[in-house]
């Protein structure tokens, strides 16, 4: 029954993520001058898409359709969120939140700084929420930041959207009867990643340190690396038990076994690329050698294609 539940969830992966990911394979650095940034395309998809709610366990739900996956814990008197989505989805996200309960959102934890997880901070703060993040996330969203891999320059968030509660190590919340652990992850996807664990519900949100069934983006420009991603997967595996629901930054809810498969993929491609790089091959030669080929059919069909992921791994070693 539990396995069937996950299979059903997997079949219902939000159209917003799938369509945005497929569409966004168009715009990588070699084509950037001729193509719109994937940021523009994903924003446009968020504007078109409905916000879908997937109940998980213990009052925790996952919301899709506004960039990265969003978490919401509902208890009497309040709601506690993981990530804020894209601001253009405000009205649809507010409606989805209201359908869960009429109570206000008291806290929003940003798992990292990227816009598809933080762009909604300002309106949620204005509605009464405290914004919680790693200090590096707070730094990045308060200043102009360029991501060359996306051909996009991000402007600072409005002051009300900038995190004021900073988690350098860990912070614990008591939300109704639920214990919520917010814990800093050593540099992985970025150098400002957090995970959020709903202990009683046994639901773990790991942000973009994990993309389920999809090659992940690694923000080498902001402290990320392939080795950091592998360490983050190890940390998540230590946290996850046999019944833990693991929520990636993108893709459907996962089991611990799914996370193990992801970790194996990361390590194998990392080792293949490192071996070729040690032989003196330049980046183009390593990409041509197709060190990810055994995984491409499953993992390389969406936002990050095999060549681009190989480049991210190569640049991060």
């Amino acid at each position: 029954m539990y396995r069937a539940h996950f299979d059903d969830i997997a079949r219902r992966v939000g159209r917003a993520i799938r369509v945005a990911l497929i569409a966004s394979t168009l715009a990588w650095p070699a084509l950037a001058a001729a193509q719109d940034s994937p940021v523009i395309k994903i924003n446009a998809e968020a504007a078109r898409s409905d916000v879908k709610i997937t109940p998980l366990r213990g009052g925790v739900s996952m919301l899709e359709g506004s960039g990265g996956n969003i978490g919401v814990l509902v208890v009497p008197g309040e709601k506690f969120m993981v990530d804020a989505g894209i601001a253009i989805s405000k009205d649809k996200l507010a409606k989805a939140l209201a359908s869960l309960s009429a109570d206000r959102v008291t806290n929003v934890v940003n798992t990292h700084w990227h816009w598809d997880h933080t762009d909604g901070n300002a309106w949620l703060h204005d509605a009464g929420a405290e914004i919680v993040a790693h200090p590096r996330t707070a730094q990045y969203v308060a200043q102009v930041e360029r991501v060359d891999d996306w051909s996009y320059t991000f402007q600072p968030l409005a002051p009300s959207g900038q995190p004021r509660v900073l988690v350098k190590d860990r912070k614990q919340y008591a939300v109704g009867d639920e214990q919520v652990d917010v814990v800093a992850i050593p540099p992985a996807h970025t150098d400002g990643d957090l995970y959020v664990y709903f202990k009683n519900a046994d639901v773990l949100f790991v942000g973009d340190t994990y993309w389920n069934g999809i090659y992940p983006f690694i923000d080498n420009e902001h402290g990320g690396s392939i080795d950091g991603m592998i360490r983050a997967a190890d940390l998540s595996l230590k946290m996850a038990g046999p019944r833990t629901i693991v929520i990636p930054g993108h893709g459907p809810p996962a089991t611990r076994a799914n996370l193990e498969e992801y970790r194996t993929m990361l390590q194998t491609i990392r080792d293949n690329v490192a071996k070729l790089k040690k032989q003196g091959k330049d980046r183009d030669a390593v990409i041509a050698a197709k060190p990810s080929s055994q995984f491409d059919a499953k993992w390389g069909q969406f936002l990050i294609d095999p060549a681009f992921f190989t480049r991210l791994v190569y640049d991060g070693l």
Side-chain angles (χ1 to χ4, degrees):
M1 181 176 180
Y2 187 64
R3 178 70 257 174
H5 173 66
F6 274 107
D7 290 343
D8 181 61
I9 290 173
R11 286 192 295 270
R12 294 184 290 111
V13 175
R15 176 180 178 275
I17 297 298
R18 288 296 188 190
V19 173
L21 295 178
I22 292 169
S24 299
T25 55
L26 298 173
W28 299 125
L31 302 176
Q35 304 283 356
D36 289 337
S37 167
V39 173
I40 302 299
K41 296 179 182 296
I42 292 171
N43 283 345
E45 184 57 36
R48 290 189 293 267
S49 298
D50 292 330
V51 172
K52 298 182 180 181
I53 302 171
T54 300
L56 298 171
R57 190 191 291 139
V60 181
S61 297
M62 184 183 83
L63 277 58
E64 303 168 81
S66 182
N69 291 330
I70 293 170
V72 183
L73 166 66
V74 177
V75 302
E78 65 178 301
K79 294 192 286 282
F80 187 106
M81 287 182 67
V82 181
D83 285 326
I86 300 172
I88 201 166
S89 302
K90 173 185 174 181
D91 291 344
K92 289 177 285 191
L93 186 55
K95 182 178 179 180
L97 290 169
S99 75
L100 291 171
S101 86
D103 297 310
R104 72 181 180 94
V105 176
T106 55
N107 295 274
V108 178
V109 179
N110 295 151
T111 58
H112 62 291
W113 78 273
H114 292 152
W115 100 103
D116 55 329
H117 299 259
T118 60
D119 197 43
N121 280 2
W123 77 262
L124 285 161
H125 175 271
D126 292 345
E130 279 194 328
I131 309 299
V132 183
H134 190 281
R136 296 293 278 176
T137 292
Q139 174 187 335
Y140 293 140
V141 300
Q143 63 194 29
V144 175
E145 287 294 337
R146 175 77 178 175
V147 178
D148 289 332
D149 288 324
W150 294 339
S151 303
Y152 199 86
T153 300
F154 294 91
Q155 298 303 311
L157 292 181
S160 64
Q162 295 174 20
R164 302 303 179 194
V165 179
L166 304 184
V167 180
K168 296 180 181 179
D169 182 19
R170 62 177 58 233
K171 185 175 178 65
Q172 191 174 96
Y173 290 86
V175 184
D177 293 332
E178 181 60 85
Q179 176 181 316
V180 184
D181 295 326
V182 180
V183 181
I185 302 171
H189 175 65
T190 70
D191 58 5
D193 300 312
L194 298 175
Y195 74 68
V196 181
Y197 181 53
F198 297 95
K199 183 176 181 180
N200 297 333
D202 197 13
V203 179
L204 177 63
F205 284 78
V206 296
D208 278 8
T209 66
Y210 177 30
W211 296 36
N212 189 9
I214 308 163
Y215 284 145
F217 178 68
I218 305 172
D219 193 347
N220 292 317
E221 298 172 85
H222 293 87
S225 70
I226 181 61
D227 287 335
M229 292 287 275
I230 293 167
R231 287 191 294 268
D234 288 336
L235 179 61
S236 297
L237 286 167
K238 288 180 181 178
M239 289 292 303
R243 294 190 70 250
T244 303
I245 303 174
V246 182
I247 304 301
H250 299 272
T255 64
R256 191 179 192 281
N258 298 141
L259 187 57
E260 289 175 337
E261 182 184 13
Y262 171 77
R263 200 267 184 209
T264 297
M265 177 274 293
L266 292 179
Q267 185 69 60
T268 303
I269 296 175
R270 183 258 181 228
D271 291 348
N272 290 346
V273 172
K275 181 178 179 180
L276 293 166
K277 190 171 185 178
K278 189 175 181 179
Q279 292 171 2
K281 295 184 184 297
D282 64 17
R283 189 171 70 189
D284 289 343
V286 171
I287 291 171
K290 299 184 178 181
S292 65
S293 60
Q294 73 188 89
F295 301 100
D296 292 344
K298 174 173 181 177
W299 299 87
Q301 303 303 309
F302 298 106
L303 183 61
I304 308 297
D305 66 25
F308 191 63
F309 185 61
T310 299
R311 182 172 71 78
L312 290 172
V313 174
Y314 183 97
D315 289 347
L317 287 173

